[in-house]
Coordinates of all heavy atoms in Angstrom, one line a residue:
Y3 N 30.6 8.3 3.0 CA 30.5 8.2 1.5 C 29.1 8.5 1.1 O 28.1 8.3 1.9 CB 30.9 6.8 1.0 CG 30.1 5.7 1.4 CD1 29.1 5.2 0.6 CD2 30.2 5.0 2.6 CE1 28.3 4.2 0.9 CE2 29.4 4.0 3.0 CZ 28.5 3.5 2.1 OH 27.7 2.5 2.5
I4 N 28.9 9.0 -0.1 CA 27.6 9.5 -0.6 C 27.1 8.4 -1.6 O 27.8 7.9 -2.4 CB 27.7 10.8 -1.3 CG1 28.2 11.9 -0.3 CG2 26.4 11.2 -1.9 CD1 28.4 13.3 -0.9
K5 N 25.8 8.0 -1.4 CA 25.2 7.1 -2.3 C 23.8 7.5 -2.6 O 23.2 8.2 -1.9 CB 25.2 5.7 -1.7 CG 24.4 5.6 -0.4 CD 24.5 4.1 0.1 CE 23.6 4.0 1.4 NZ 23.6 2.6 2.0
E6 N 23.3 7.0 -3.7 CA 21.9 7.3 -4.2 C 21.1 6.1 -3.9 O 21.4 4.9 -4.2 CB 21.9 7.6 -5.7 CG 22.5 9.0 -6.0 CD 22.2 9.3 -7.4 OE1 21.9 8.4 -8.2 OE2 22.3 10.5 -7.8
V7 N 20.0 6.3 -3.2 CA 19.1 5.2 -2.8 C 17.6 5.7 -3.0 O 17.3 6.9 -3.1 CB 19.3 4.8 -1.3 CG1 20.6 4.3 -1.0 CG2 19.0 6.0 -0.4
F8 N 16.7 4.7 -3.0 CA 15.3 5.0 -3.1 C 14.8 4.9 -1.7 O 14.9 3.9 -1.0 CB 14.6 4.0 -4.0 CG 14.6 4.3 -5.4 CD1 15.5 3.7 -6.3 CD2 13.7 5.3 -5.9 CE1 15.5 4.1 -7.6 CE2 13.7 5.6 -7.3 CZ 14.6 5.0 -8.1
R9 N 14.1 6.0 -1.2 CA 13.5 6.0 0.1 C 12.0 6.0 -0.1 O 11.4 6.7 -1.0 CB 13.9 7.3 0.8 CG 15.4 7.2 1.3 CD 15.5 6.4 2.6 NE 14.7 6.8 3.6 CZ 15.0 7.8 4.5 NH1 16.1 8.4 4.4 NH2 14.1 8.1 5.5
G10 N 11.3 5.3 0.8 CA 9.9 5.2 0.7 C 9.2 6.4 1.5 O 9.7 6.7 2.6
V11 N 8.2 7.0 0.9 CA 7.5 8.0 1.6 C 6.0 7.6 1.7 O 5.4 7.2 0.7 CB 7.5 9.3 0.8 CG1 6.7 10.4 1.5 CG2 9.0 9.8 0.7
K12 N 5.4 7.6 2.9 CA 4.0 7.3 3.1 C 3.4 8.3 4.0 O 3.9 8.5 5.1 CB 3.9 5.9 3.7 CG 2.5 5.4 3.8 CD 2.4 4.0 4.3 CE 1.0 3.5 4.3 NZ 0.9 2.1 4.8
V13 N 2.4 9.0 3.5 CA 1.7 10.1 4.3 C 0.2 9.8 4.4 O -0.4 9.2 3.5 CB 2.0 11.5 3.7 CG1 3.4 11.8 3.8 CG2 1.5 11.5 2.3
K14 N -0.4 10.2 5.5 CA -1.8 10.1 5.7 C -2.6 11.2 5.0 O -2.2 12.4 5.1 CB -2.1 10.1 7.2 CG -3.6 9.9 7.6 CD -3.7 10.0 9.1 CE -5.2 9.9 9.5 NZ -5.3 10.0 10.9
L15 N -3.6 10.8 4.3 CA -4.4 11.8 3.5 C -5.7 12.2 4.3 O -6.2 11.4 5.1 CB -4.8 11.3 2.2 CG -3.7 10.9 1.2 CD1 -4.2 10.3 -0.1 CD2 -2.8 12.1 0.9
Y16 N -6.2 13.4 4.1 CA -7.5 13.8 4.6 C -8.4 14.2 3.5 O -8.6 15.4 3.3 CB -7.2 15.0 5.6 CG -6.4 14.6 6.8 CD1 -5.0 14.9 6.8 CD2 -7.0 14.0 7.9 CE1 -4.3 14.6 7.9 CE2 -6.2 13.7 9.0 CZ -4.9 14.0 9.0 OH -4.1 13.7 10.1
P17 N -8.9 13.2 2.7 CA -9.7 13.6 1.6 C -11.1 14.0 2.0 O -11.7 13.7 3.0 CB -9.8 12.3 0.8 CG -9.6 11.2 1.8 CD -8.7 11.8 2.9
T18 N -11.8 14.8 1.1 CA -13.2 15.2 1.3 C -14.1 14.0 0.8 O -13.6 13.0 0.3 CB -13.5 16.4 0.4 OG1 -13.3 16.1 -1.0 CG2 -12.6 17.6 0.8

Side-chain angles (χ1 to χ4, degrees):
Y3 65 96
I4 298 175
K5 62 179 181 179
E6 289 188 343
V7 296
F8 276 100
R9 287 283 303 276
V11 177
K12 186 175 183 180
V13 293
K14 180 181 176 181
L15 299 176
Y16 296 96
T18 62

